[in-house]
Amino acid sequence: EAFRATPARWYILFAFCYMGMVQGFVGNAWGPIASAMKSQYQWQDQRTSLLAMWMSVMFVPGAVLFPWVMSRTNMRFVILANTALMALAGVIKILSVTVIPLDYLEYSATVTQIINGFCGAVPFSGVMYVTVNWFPTKERIVATGVVMATLNTGIAIPFLLGPELVPETKNTTLPTRRAAHCCAC
């Protein structure tokens, strides 16, 4: 096998894992704080479910587009584009906390979930590309396991931190409402 493993592969794996963990964390933040959003914004359960649904729905076009783009360019370009889209979603969330009136929170949250759901295809479908291209055969199982464990940890963290960071309260003052949305970012 004409494969030369370099120490940089662990850095690549760490960066890929971190991107996937952040994507899962941000995308899964709404479900664990649904009761707080219900008391702060008078949102129904359907609204929070719809936000969570966008992650799954937008994964499909992302899973079609990103591999096609990767076959035309390379994985580096796809990861940079994915990270830029995740950053765009973050900027929209920050603007909706600081600049955009809270009346538009429902729309900005939907837009950011659509973007983040679209970005979810890269970490989950790019695992094999990263491990096959950067790791020798003997290390691929470990590398794949590390990536999958990290991605699932990113999905699980909001369930641990969300209810603690955004407790359910009847106080609907503006700073509390902004804090509730900020923690969902």
Side-chain angles (χ1 to χ4, degrees):
E1 180 177 314
F3 186 86
R4 184 171 172 266
T6 64
R9 70 186 184 278
W10 295 107
Y11 170 74
I12 299 296
L13 187 72
F14 172 77
F16 188 79
C17 287
Y18 183 74
M19 177 196 63
M21 186 174 69
V22 169
Q23 189 278 333
F25 176 81
V26 171
N28 199 34
W30 291 104
I33 62 167
S35 59
M37 298 307 286
K38 195 180 223 180
S39 67
Q40 294 296 320
Y41 295 102
Q42 290 73 45
W43 281 9
Q44 300 301 317
D45 289 334
Q46 295 87 349
R47 165 51 52 199
T48 309
S49 298
L50 183 64
L51 288 173
M53 180 207 64
W54 282 118
M55 290 295 293
S56 301
V57 169
M58 292 310 294
F59 182 89
V60 175
V64 172
L65 180 67
F66 280 125
W68 179 79
V69 171
M70 191 169 49
S71 71
R72 302 279 189 262
T73 60
N74 58 27
M75 186 67 167
R76 181 178 186 269
F77 175 78
V78 170
I79 288 177
L80 290 175
N82 192 59
T83 307
L85 285 173
M86 288 172 55
L88 173 66
V91 167
I92 293 171
K93 286 182 182 184
I94 290 170
L95 290 176
S96 66
V97 172
T98 58
V99 177
I100 301 172
L102 285 174
D103 300 337
Y104 297 104
L105 172 63
E106 188 175 326
Y107 305 110
S108 65
T110 301
V111 168
T112 57
Q113 282 297 98
I114 288 171
I115 293 170
N116 202 35
F118 186 72
C119 292
V122 172
F124 279 96
S125 62
V127 174
M128 295 312 296
Y129 185 87
V130 169
T131 57
V132 166
N133 287 307
W134 283 92
F135 288 89
T137 307
K138 295 177 185 175
E139 295 178 356
R140 286 182 191 156
I141 293 173
V142 172
T144 303
V146 167
V147 173
M148 294 310 294
T150 307
L151 295 177
N152 288 315
T153 300
I155 292 171
I157 288 173
F159 286 98
L160 299 172
L161 295 180
E164 297 299 320
L165 293 174
V166 187
E168 184 178 352
T169 178
K170 298 299 179 191
N171 183 4
T172 56
T173 63
L174 187 60
T176 306
R177 291 175 65 191
R178 289 206 184 273
H181 177 63
C182 185
C183 289
C185 296

